[in-house]
């Protein structure tokens, strides 16, 4: 019977454990704080940031909210970033992307204190991930790849020796998950496919695991996967539902694939909740490192 990788339940279990760790930190005089910087009023970004602060309330982390209007300058944003770097109440923080047109996002990310990089996407932290093929990593990890690995681990799915096909080369997961999957602790073999890949379906049919992160609704079809494949659906598209008369979130994996798979993560309800849980985990770990 096909296994549904329930990200909502797994994330809830992780958050319950994190709440216990936060309580122990507070007993020792440390209150973790998550900061967010939201620029403009993009509907998706507003909802996502609100969700992060709801998660904070759930596990006892302090919320630190910064908001700026759409028409701010680079210097305005940089000033808030520097304030959060200096704020001892802010254990870790994120700058919500995308930023307004004309703002150099990479330059803003470069200004983040790597020790407070809750997303795990600062160049220094990514560099540490590149360098540490084995052993423990004491810098923040990218949330979405970490969420994928934690979700599989919750269902005792071992990736040692598995062939993993990653679809999409975006920085959020496509370009970073290979760094984590090929560490000795996981020990998978990774093929990264993108718009320049010839015969993507051929790569997919050979894969034990497919991580679909293209943002192309229903791209992965049953004839593109082998029997018993494990499917991680990370892509997000908004598709208009004619029957319901409203927009819905749809993933990259066609639901017709589920019967052929060994396991799959639904979308929504799979990797998304895990990403948010890993953001909290990064912040709690940052606070724990303050205790040595």
């Amino acid at each position: 019977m096909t296994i549904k990788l329930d990200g909502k339940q797994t994330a809830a279990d992780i958050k319950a454990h994190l709440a216990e760790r936060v309580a122990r930190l507070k007993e020792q005089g440390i209150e973790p704080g998550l900061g967010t910087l939201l620029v403009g009023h993009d509907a998706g970004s507003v909802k996502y940031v609100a969700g992060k602060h709801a998660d904070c309330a759930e596990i006892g982390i302090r919320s630190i909210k910064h908001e700026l209007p759409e028409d701010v300058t680079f210097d305005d944003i940089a000033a808030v970033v520097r304030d959060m770097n200096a704020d001892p109440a802010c254990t870790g923080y994120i700058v919500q992307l995308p930023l307004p047109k004309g703002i150099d996002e990479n330059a803003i990310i470069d200004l983040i204190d790597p020790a407070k990089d809750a997303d795990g996407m600062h160049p220094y932290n990514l560099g540490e991930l590149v360098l540490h093929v084995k052993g423990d990593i004491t810098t923040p990890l990218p949330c979405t790849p970490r969420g994928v690995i934690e979700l599989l681990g919750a269902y005792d799915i071992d990736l040692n020796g598995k062939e993993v096909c990653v679809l999409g080369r975006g920085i959020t997961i496509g370009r970073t998950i290979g760094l984590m999957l090929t560490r000795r602790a996981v020990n998978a073999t990774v093929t990264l496919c993108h718009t320049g890949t010839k015969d993507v379906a051929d790569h997919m049919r050979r894969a034990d695991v497919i991580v679909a992160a293209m943002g192309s609704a229903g791209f992965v079809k049953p004839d593109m996967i082998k029997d018993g494949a494990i499917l991680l659906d990370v892509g997000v598209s908004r598709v208009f539902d004619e029957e319901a008369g409203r927009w819905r979130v749809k993933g990259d994996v066609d639901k017709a694939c589920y019967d052929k798979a060994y396991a799959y993560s639904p979308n929504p309800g799979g990797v998304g909740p895990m990403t948010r849980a890993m953001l909290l985990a990064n912040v709690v770990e940052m606070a724990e490192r303050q205790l040595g």
Side-chain angles (χ1 to χ4, degrees):
M1 187 173 179
T2 303
I3 299 170
K4 176 184 175 181
L5 305 174
D6 189 341
K8 287 183 178 179
Q9 183 57 56
T10 305
D13 294 340
I14 290 170
K15 287 191 286 186
H17 180 57
L18 288 173
E20 295 174 358
R21 291 162 64 182
V22 169
R24 288 196 292 269
L25 283 165
K26 289 181 178 179
E27 289 172 359
Q28 298 176 77
I30 293 178
E31 182 181 2
L34 172 65
T36 60
L37 173 54
L38 176 65
V39 183
H41 301 285
D42 174 76
S45 294
V46 169
K47 182 178 179 180
Y48 193 54
V49 168
K52 288 179 172 73
H53 289 293
D55 291 338
C56 286
E58 187 177 345
I59 72 166
I61 290 178
R62 178 194 292 115
S63 285
I64 302 166
K65 303 176 186 178
H66 293 275
E67 297 183 0
L68 292 172
E70 183 82 19
D71 59 353
V72 293
T73 66
F74 178 93
D75 289 340
D76 294 328
I77 298 172
V80 176
V81 169
R82 293 190 180 100
D83 285 345
M84 286 194 284
N85 284 343
D87 183 0
C90 180
T91 309
Y93 68 92
I94 63 111
V95 176
Q96 182 65 34
L97 302 180
L99 294 175
K101 188 176 180 180
I103 301 294
D104 187 338
E105 293 181 347
N106 288 335
I108 291 295
I109 291 171
D110 284 346
L111 295 174
I112 295 172
D113 179 350
K116 291 190 172 188
D117 170 30
D119 266 335
M121 299 297 287
H122 188 280
Y124 175 85
N125 293 326
L126 292 178
E128 285 292 299
L129 180 55
V130 170
L131 291 172
H132 289 83
V133 177
K134 59 183 178 180
D136 293 333
I137 300 178
T138 58
T139 48
L141 294 170
C143 296
T144 303
R146 184 179 180 184
V148 166
I149 293 171
E150 292 282 347
L151 181 58
L152 292 170
Y155 287 84
D156 296 320
I157 295 175
D158 185 2
L159 296 181
N160 183 26
K162 293 287 195 298
E163 296 278 348
V164 180
C165 179
V166 179
L167 305 177
R169 54 184 165 188
I171 190 65
T172 301
I173 182 166
R175 294 180 65 81
T176 50
I177 193 168
L179 297 173
M180 298 182 67
L181 291 175
T182 54
R183 297 188 73 245
R184 291 189 186 277
V186 182
N187 223 28
T189 298
V190 178
T191 300
L192 174 60
C193 295
H194 45 76
T195 53
T197 304
K198 295 181 180 179
D199 200 353
V200 173
D202 182 58
H203 290 284
M204 293 165 62
R205 292 187 192 103
R206 295 200 304 266
D208 303 305
V209 181
I210 295 173
V211 180
M214 303 170 65
S216 179
F219 177 86
V220 181
K221 303 294 185 186
D223 64 345
M224 298 177 175
I225 68 172
K226 69 180 183 181
D227 290 337
I230 298 167
L231 308 175
L232 283 304
D233 193 351
V234 189
V236 174
S237 301
R238 298 193 180 276
V239 178
F240 191 74
D241 186 331
E242 297 287 353
E243 292 185 7
R246 65 185 181 91
W247 294 89
R248 292 186 182 276
V249 171
K250 188 172 181 180
D252 288 355
V253 178
D254 190 323
K255 291 183 179 180
C257 295
Y258 293 170
D259 289 340
K260 195 175 180 180
Y262 170 75
Y264 72 92
S265 69
N267 193 343
V271 176
M274 294 299 296
T275 297
R276 281 169 50 179
M278 293 303 99
L279 180 76
L280 299 173
N282 276 345
V283 174
V284 173
E285 288 166 2
M286 290 171 186
E288 289 171 339
R289 281 194 282 271
Q290 293 178 22
L291 292 174

